[in-house]
Amino acid sequence: MNFKHFDRMLMKASYDEVKVIGRDVELDGHYAHIIGMTLKDKQAFVYTLELQEQPNAEEELFQSIADKTHRQQMKDSCKNEKNIAFLRIREFRSNGKVYEVAGANSSITQNYNMAEHMLIYLVMREHGWKMSEESPLYTADWECLQMSVIKLRDEMEELPDWGMDLEVVKDSYPKTGLLEIPVTLICGESPVISFRLGDDTQAECYINKICIQDVWADHECRFADEEYRSRILEHVSIEEFQKMKEQREEALLAHCPRGKCYMLVEYECSADVAVNFYANSYLDSKPQVHSGGASALLIMHRPDAAEGTHGLKLRGCVIQTPVEPDTSCLEAELFSYTEMIKKDTQKMY
């Protein structure tokens, strides 16, 4: 912080209009609070707070990322998957009018942004805002409060009145749930694996197919395919096409040596979720650093059929751990599932 930065903040906080809302709400199970709105140069912003879990800095610093296994890294990622509800809002609706969102950002009050957050609180307090002492957020540490600043799309001459009627339209988003269910995958077999979702609903994963996939043969076949080649060459030069092939080969070599293969699982689920299988050896190993740094390669598989043997959506999962072409059995885990939370509309007050 210096006086130049201080002057910029004061200039930014010189609003044409400020309107306090000061309403506690609940959004996606989070305690939340809509502070109010500001207007400057016809641009309106909405300020909100929501309660997040207490961050555990000691746990995050205990191990560096490089010291963690793939299992630990993915579990940490799932645990720290932030569900900031206000960032998913695409529209506000009040008094028969629609206010589209142009963008938003969110942050917890910390040393580097303490002054900016304090200015918002002080400006709103000067215009009559005060957090209710009965609010769950009143005694919460600021380190647990996520402030979102939401920019409205349309220019306006004055701020709207959202005092008595407000609902929001929230976008869809993926949500991950940990399972860590051990499973022995045997080529040619079709086991059924039961698991429970986060709301304790039971679901079944019906495996339709387990087989070995020769990713190197697929790679060669793809780039030799005239239809694929012609389609890509409509957008790139022959030199760029060749470079694309070489880069793909380099990425493959970093993860799957020539002569090795991956195991492929095609499955359907009684719940509308995608599941993620990983080899035990991968989960319990640490990331390898290749020349040029750590690399990543995601190979997707789309089944030929739309539905599986149970009439449900057929999906594919490629277990990206190199195995011999004659491998028939792999010790693995149904590690997690990914659920797409659908777009919906929610009444605020």
Side-chain angles (χ1 to χ4, degrees):
M1 175 67 75
N2 54 39
F3 282 107
K4 183 178 182 180
H5 187 198
F6 180 65
D7 286 341
R8 284 177 178 174
M9 286 195 304
L10 288 179
M11 182 71 70
K12 185 178 179 181
S14 177
Y15 301 110
D16 299 327
E17 185 182 358
V18 176
K19 183 166 287 189
V20 171
I21 296 177
R23 297 290 293 262
D24 279 349
V25 296
E26 186 173 323
L27 195 58
D28 289 351
H30 287 211
Y31 287 114
H33 182 89
I34 303 177
I35 302 173
M37 295 182 280
T38 62
L39 183 68
K40 186 170 184 175
D41 299 328
K42 299 184 179 181
Q43 183 63 67
F45 292 88
V46 183
Y47 301 85
T48 67
L49 293 170
E50 58 188 289
L51 190 60
Q52 297 286 334
E53 290 184 7
Q54 175 70 44
N56 191 336
E58 290 185 4
E59 183 179 341
E60 291 181 5
L61 293 174
F62 181 72
Q63 273 186 307
S64 70
I65 292 178
D67 290 335
K68 295 183 178 181
T69 63
H70 290 104
R71 179 192 302 278
Q72 290 171 316
Q73 288 190 20
M74 289 191 291
K75 289 179 73 170
D76 287 349
S77 177
C78 183
K79 181 180 178 181
N80 297 327
E81 192 176 80
K82 286 193 173 180
N83 179 17
I84 303 172
F86 281 107
L87 291 186
R88 296 198 310 278
I89 292 178
R90 292 295 167 261
E91 291 179 2
F92 291 92
R93 296 177 179 177
S94 181
N95 301 316
K97 294 183 179 179
V98 175
Y99 304 86
E100 293 185 358
V101 171
N105 62 74
S106 186
S107 62
I108 288 176
T109 302
Q110 296 177 355
N111 290 336
Y112 73 91
N113 63 7
M114 175 72 77
E116 288 91 337
H117 285 200
M118 281 289 291
L119 268 177
I120 294 297
Y121 296 149
L122 288 172
V123 167
M124 289 295 173
R125 179 63 70 92
E126 287 176 357
H127 287 79
W129 173 72
K130 189 178 187 299
M131 182 72 72
S132 168
E133 295 184 12
E134 284 71 44
S135 171
L137 279 64
Y138 184 70
T139 56
D141 290 339
W142 282 4
E143 291 83 358
C144 298
L145 293 182
Q146 193 88 25
M147 177 186 283
S148 295
V149 182
I150 305 165
K151 180 181 179 181
L152 300 185
R153 185 176 302 282
D154 294 335
E155 292 185 348
M156 54 186 70
E157 297 295 333
E158 60 181 14
L159 291 172
D161 182 8
W162 290 358
M164 299 301 295
D165 172 48
L166 183 67
E167 66 179 18
V168 295
V169 177
K170 297 174 296 180
D171 209 349
S172 59
Y173 70 100
K175 184 176 181 180
T176 304
L178 287 173
L179 296 173
E180 296 184 280
I181 300 173
V183 56
T184 300
L185 298 173
I186 301 174
C187 292
E189 294 194 358
S190 303
V192 178
I193 307 170
S194 297
F195 61 95
R196 290 191 175 276
L197 303 178
D199 61 2
D200 208 35
T201 300
Q202 181 161 321
E204 276 72 42
C205 173
Y206 304 105
I207 294 180
N208 284 212
K209 179 181 180 182
I210 303 172
C211 66
I212 296 300
Q213 181 180 25
D214 189 337
V215 289
W216 279 101
D218 292 346
H219 164 75
E220 296 295 343
C221 183
R222 182 183 189 187
F223 280 89
D225 181 63
E226 284 301 325
E227 183 179 344
Y228 173 77
R229 180 186 176 91
S230 298
R231 189 167 68 249
I232 298 299
L233 288 176
E234 291 177 2
H235 307 282
V236 302
S237 66
I238 186 68
E239 291 79 11
E240 289 172 325
F241 179 81
Q242 186 61 33
K243 187 174 182 179
M244 186 190 305
K245 180 182 178 182
E246 292 171 358
Q247 289 174 337
R248 175 75 173 183
E249 288 179 355
E250 288 178 8
L252 267 177
L253 280 171
H255 295 84
C256 184
R258 289 185 183 275
K260 298 281 189 176
C261 299
Y262 286 152
M263 183 170 278
L264 166 67
V265 179
E266 289 188 355
Y267 67 91
E268 50 188 325
C269 284
S270 58
D272 188 15
V273 299
V275 297
N276 307 296
F277 290 94
Y278 294 95
N280 288 352
S281 58
Y282 171 82
L283 291 171
D284 296 328
S285 66
K286 294 180 181 179
Q288 295 182 7
V289 179
H290 305 279
S291 59
S295 62
L297 176 67
L298 180 62
I299 295 180
M300 308 292 289
H301 172 73
R302 179 176 294 177
D304 294 331
E307 295 182 350
T309 56
H310 292 76
L312 302 168
K313 181 177 180 179
L314 191 60
R315 309 174 194 255
C317 177
V318 179
I319 302 177
Q320 293 185 205
T321 298
V323 297
E324 297 294 338
D326 60 354
T327 298
S328 61
C329 178
L330 183 68
E331 295 301 324
E333 283 187 16
L334 174 49
F335 184 76
S336 62
Y337 70 88
T338 303
E339 178 182 16
M340 184 60 68
I341 306 300
K342 296 179 180 179
K343 178 178 178 179
D344 72 327
T345 302
Q346 182 176 335
K347 182 81 172 177
M348 292 285 91
Y349 52 79

